């Protein structure tokens, strides 16, 4: 739906965001920050990695968001025996003995990649090609994926047996790495009340795929002043050990710093964060608001940091 001006579109985005939050909160209780980050990623054409212990409603959260957006949704449960063709699709012989391509579950708008670290690297790589290129290649033939297209992957941090950790280069493809924490006491009381009764909550569809595409273009058109861009790039440079602008904490505790994708993600997410809070241009506070989930999976601690028990979050907070 074309808007008369970017200001009208920005107001429409803010209103749609409020409606989405209302619909999602009918089912998912007390995960406001996670919902904000997931919706930010969607409006920025990014992908998300959700990390949390079992039972924190990771799958329910993503299914609810998919229900509030008028988009096709597929869930893929990753297992050690999953093959790339189980995700992408494969060629089969039809009755006339001609090869015909049968599309796999990746051909949807929202993909829930459940427990992505349970599947071998070959299958992970097949999904990550789709995330980066928005297309898949089968038997030398390229097939484009529908837009908008988001991958929301989940990961369980406790079990390490029988898992295949994502390599740094593949983690970098995810815009946000979101940690889900245990709910507060009051939130858990509300969760138990709502999930142990017979009441069903209907989530209304709020935004269409066409509107999401419009909002994605709007986010990219948001103007940014130079000092905000410089702040974001400086912050990323601070994470790089033994470089000209590397911070002393990075030199001491980090093996690797964040790459240029982090700088791009900081500015895009800051633009979207500004729009969601009713502003027309981001400031340094917007960059700070999205820095943790963007940098968390892009920096690698060294042995000294692990030995001293210094977490990635503590280091990022120091750099901020």
């Amino acid at each position: 739906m074309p808007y008369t001006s970017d200001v009208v579109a920005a107001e429409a985005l803010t209103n749609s965001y409020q409606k989405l939050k209302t619909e999602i909160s009918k089912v998912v209780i007390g995960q406001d920050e996670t919902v904000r980050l997931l919706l930010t990623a969607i409006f920025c054409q990014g992908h998300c990695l959700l990390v949390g212990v079992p039972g924190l409603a990771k799958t329910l959260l993503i299914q609810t968001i998919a229900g509030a957006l008028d988009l096709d949704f597929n869930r893929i449960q990753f297992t050690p025996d999953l093959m790339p063709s189980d995700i992408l699709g494969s060629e089969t012989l039809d009755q006339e003995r001609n090869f015909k391509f049968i599309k796999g579950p990746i051909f949807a708008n929202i993909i829930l990649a459940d427990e992505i670290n349970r599947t071998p690297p070959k299958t992970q790589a097949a999904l990550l090609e789709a995330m980066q290129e928005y297309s898949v290649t089968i038997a030398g033939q390229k097939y484009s994926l529908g837009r908008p297209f988001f991958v929301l992957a989940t990961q369980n941090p406790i079990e390490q047996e029988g898992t295949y950790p994502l390599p740094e280069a593949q983690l970098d493809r995810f815009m946000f790495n979101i940690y889900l924490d245990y709910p507060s006491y009051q939130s858990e009381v509300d969760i138990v009340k709502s999930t142990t009764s017979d009441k069903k909550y209907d989530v209304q569809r709020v935004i269409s795929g066409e509107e999401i595409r419009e909002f994605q273009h709007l986010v990219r058109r948001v103007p940014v002043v130079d000092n905000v861009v410089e702040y974001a790039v400086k912050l990323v440079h601070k994470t790089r050990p033994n470089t000209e602008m590397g911070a002393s904490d990075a030199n001491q505790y980090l093996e690797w710093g964040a790459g240029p994708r982090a700088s791009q993600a900081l500015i895009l997410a800051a633009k979207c964060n500004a729009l969601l809070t009713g502003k027309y241009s981001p400031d340094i506070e917007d960059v700070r608001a999205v820095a943790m989930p963007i940098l968390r999976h892009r920096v690698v601690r060294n042995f000294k940091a692990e030995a001293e028990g210094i977490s990635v979050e503590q280091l990022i907070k120091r750099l901020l």
Side-chain angles (χ1 to χ4, degrees):
M1 137 191 341
Y3 295 97
T4 50
S5 73
D6 282 354
V7 172
V8 175
E11 283 164 5
L13 172 58
T14 311
N15 292 337
S16 298
Y17 171 63
Q18 295 305 332
K19 283 183 196 164
L20 277 170
K21 280 205 322 189
T22 306
E23 288 302 317
I24 293 162
S25 65
K26 287 180 186 175
V27 178
V28 179
I29 296 163
Q31 295 285 11
D32 298 345
E33 177 66 5
T34 306
V35 169
R36 179 181 73 85
L37 290 171
L38 282 171
L39 293 175
T40 300
I42 286 171
F43 293 131
C44 291
Q45 285 177 278
H47 307 287
C48 278
L49 183 63
L50 270 177
V51 181
V53 295
L56 296 186
K58 297 187 290 293
T59 309
L60 176 69
L61 172 61
I62 295 167
Q63 286 174 332
T64 307
I65 287 176
L69 305 168
D70 195 5
L71 298 171
D72 292 335
F73 169 70
N74 275 337
R75 176 176 184 266
I76 305 169
Q77 181 65 51
F78 281 73
T79 56
D81 58 352
L82 198 74
M83 298 296 287
S85 57
D86 297 330
I87 296 175
L88 308 178
S90 56
E91 288 198 318
T92 57
L93 281 170
D94 62 14
Q95 287 167 323
E96 282 77 49
R97 299 187 69 77
N98 294 321
F99 279 108
K100 185 184 174 193
F101 177 60
I102 306 293
K103 289 181 174 179
I106 195 84
F107 287 87
N109 299 116
I110 295 187
I111 303 295
L112 166 53
D114 224 344
E115 296 200 271
I116 191 172
N117 56 335
R118 287 222 164 277
T119 206
K122 190 176 179 179
T123 310
Q124 291 173 350
L127 175 74
L128 290 151
E129 182 207 346
M131 285 167 55
Q132 189 68 16
E133 315 295 335
Y134 295 101
S135 64
V136 298
T137 308
I138 305 286
Q141 182 78 33
K142 202 168 190 180
Y143 298 91
S144 291
L145 296 167
R147 300 286 195 96
F149 175 73
F150 325 108
V151 172
L152 301 169
T154 70
Q155 204 168 291
N156 175 353
I158 302 175
E159 293 172 294
Q160 295 308 325
E161 219 173 294
T163 62
Y164 304 84
L166 283 170
E168 268 66 36
Q170 294 185 355
L171 280 174
D172 197 34
R173 306 269 173 96
F174 288 98
M175 183 175 195
F176 289 140
N177 178 349
I178 304 168
Y179 270 30
L180 273 176
D181 215 344
Y182 290 112
S184 65
Y185 171 76
Q186 192 50 53
S187 292
E188 196 160 338
V189 168
D190 296 339
I191 288 165
V192 172
K193 281 181 183 172
S194 75
T195 53
T196 53
S197 73
D198 199 28
K199 196 174 177 184
K200 291 278 179 285
Y201 296 95
D202 280 335
V203 175
Q204 304 296 317
R205 292 187 180 272
V206 176
I207 306 185
S208 68
E210 193 188 338
E211 284 175 295
I212 290 171
R213 293 294 306 274
E214 189 72 40
F215 291 146
Q216 287 176 341
H217 291 302
L218 172 71
V219 167
R220 288 182 174 267
R221 290 198 299 271
V222 170
V224 190
V225 292
D226 282 353
N227 75 310
V228 174
V229 177
E230 285 160 12
Y231 176 80
V233 175
K234 250 181 211 157
L235 179 59
V236 172
H237 271 260
K238 276 187 190 173
T239 67
R240 297 173 187 166
N242 308 315
T243 58
E244 198 184 333
M245 296 173 79
S248 59
D249 275 331
N251 295 338
Q252 208 175 344
Y253 296 116
L254 292 179
E255 190 86 32
W256 292 103
R261 273 203 193 112
S263 304
Q264 294 165 333
L266 282 170
I267 290 301
L268 263 181
K271 285 181 176 190
C272 186
N273 195 65
L275 289 177
L276 297 183
T277 50
K279 294 184 289 193
Y280 298 125
S281 181
D283 52 30
I284 284 170
E285 280 312 304
D286 292 303
V287 176
R288 294 167 69 90
V290 294
M292 186 64 81
I294 286 173
L295 295 175
R296 178 188 277 136
H297 56 303
R298 289 186 164 97
V299 298
V300 180
R301 290 179 305 162
N302 61 17
F303 178 74
K304 186 178 184 193
E306 287 179 35
E308 292 182 21
I310 295 170
S311 69
V312 167
E313 283 81 3
Q314 285 171 313
L315 287 169
I316 294 168
K317 277 177 188 162
R318 288 189 200 179
L319 295 177
L320 283 168

